[in-house]
Amino acid sequence: MHSFTTDTVCAITGAHPANLKRWMKQGLLTPQQNPDCWSDEHLSEIYSLVGLTATGATLEEIRQGQLAASTVITHGWAARKGDMLWQLEFGTPLSLSRQMHNMSSNYSGDDFIINLLRPLSVWLNADHRRGASRRLDRFEQSVKQQADKVMRVSSRNESAIPLFLEAVSVLDKTEIWLEAIRLTAMGFNVAVDSRATGLPAIKTELHQHHVMWCGAGISQQMQDYFEQQSQDGHPVMLSGPDRNLHYSHSDASSAA
């Protein structure tokens, strides 16, 4: 029988230590004899939970399925979006914060961000009904608060890999913080420069990875900076939904 550390299990399955802790607390995993020792049986159980939570199933829905030894019945991510919208409309700051924390602990980072928070952000930004601006503002504050919380915890984890996340361009206020939450869930100790000034950010510490986030394209100046950093052997990469080269007025003036 094999034995795996928590870090190994998380690297293999895509789960986060917070996920494992919460799943164990909820009785969805076989109890451990050693807190940092996971068996083949545990690995199989974790794979199953990763698959089930990827559908948007709640831990209670998964527990009911386990108790009944039947297929887990869930309304999926549409229902989770509804849960968040209810909190944004009627919840207190504390209940909204708890909802965000619980979902972050229940789901893998990729699922939490890609299947729930990013689509919800797009929906909220496109919503023009009564109260839309208030809901969006509460969402933005909640995302930033969650990012600050998980990055603060990660900074105390000596095994977390230092990563610098630089905003090259953004379409909205939350996307850089959503990416910070996702990267933190992958085991990185994330430091963020969210200003998107059009100039290279000044890094105050050494980082093993440097991610340049492009939410609304990249200027020639920043593209040149990226290419120079790559040629010099620095661990830099472009990320984000829009990595196309966008010429700004200053780019055009200097080119002329």
Side-chain angles (χ1 to χ4, degrees):
M1 178 179 291
H2 297 99
S3 178
F4 307 93
T5 66
T6 298
D7 286 344
T8 300
V9 166
C10 291
I12 292 174
T13 64
H16 186 264
N19 301 144
L20 303 183
K21 183 178 180 180
R22 189 167 181 82
W23 296 344
M24 182 66 74
K25 183 178 180 181
Q26 295 294 320
L28 302 177
L29 293 171
T30 301
Q32 301 166 279
Q33 293 183 348
N34 184 322
D36 194 41
C37 185
W38 302 88
S39 66
D40 288 318
E41 179 184 4
H42 283 128
L43 196 61
S44 178
E45 292 173 347
I46 293 166
Y47 267 125
S48 177
L49 285 171
V50 168
L52 288 170
T53 55
T55 68
T58 66
L59 301 192
E60 180 59 30
E61 290 169 340
I62 294 172
R63 182 188 296 105
Q64 292 300 322
Q66 288 183 347
L67 291 174
S70 63
T71 301
V72 173
I73 300 175
T74 179
H75 293 292
W77 294 113
R80 304 294 74 78
K81 175 184 172 183
D83 294 339
M84 284 298 301
L85 286 173
W86 192 95
Q87 286 293 337
L88 292 171
E89 185 67 45
F90 303 109
T92 65
L94 179 59
S95 67
L96 176 57
S97 176
R98 285 176 174 170
Q99 181 81 1
M100 186 73 76
H101 171 76
N102 288 340
M103 287 189 173
S104 176
S105 299
N106 292 348
Y107 303 107
S108 74
D110 278 358
D111 289 330
F112 180 50
I113 299 302
I114 296 172
N115 293 329
L116 179 61
L117 292 190
R118 278 185 186 160
L120 181 57
S121 177
V122 171
W123 189 89
L124 288 167
N125 276 281
D127 184 22
H128 299 293
R129 296 175 301 170
R130 183 178 179 181
S133 60
R134 182 179 62 85
R135 289 188 292 272
L136 179 59
D137 184 60
R138 295 197 72 197
F139 176 75
E140 291 171 347
Q141 292 180 26
S142 181
V143 167
K144 178 61 165 56
Q145 181 184 55
Q146 180 65 18
D148 288 341
K149 183 187 303 181
V150 296
M151 288 191 298
R152 189 165 55 249
V153 172
S154 180
S155 69
R156 298 194 292 266
N157 182 0
E158 294 182 357
S159 65
I161 303 168
L163 181 147
F164 183 65
L165 176 60
E166 174 182 7
V168 173
S169 64
V170 294
L171 280 176
D172 60 60
K173 294 180 181 179
T174 63
E175 60 185 275
I176 193 71
W177 302 111
L178 292 176
E179 184 66 3
I181 294 170
R182 191 184 74 85
L183 291 170
T184 301
M186 293 173 63
F188 292 104
N189 175 12
V190 181
V192 178
D193 189 316
S194 63
R195 293 172 294 177
T197 62
L199 298 173
I202 299 175
K203 292 178 284 185
T204 58
E205 299 180 13
L206 293 177
H207 298 87
Q208 295 183 28
H209 299 274
H210 178 187
V211 176
M212 298 173 63
W213 177 264
C214 305
I218 182 170
S219 67
Q220 183 65 62
Q221 183 175 2
M222 292 300 286
Q223 179 70 34
D224 292 343
Y225 169 74
F226 164 72
E227 292 175 356
Q228 186 62 56
Q229 289 285 297
S230 298
Q231 291 172 13
D232 292 344
H234 297 294
V236 61
M237 67 175 290
L238 294 180
S239 184
D242 184 1
R243 282 166 263 178
N244 294 314
L245 188 63
H246 288 188
Y247 286 97
S248 67
H249 176 71
S250 59
D251 292 328
S253 297
S254 60

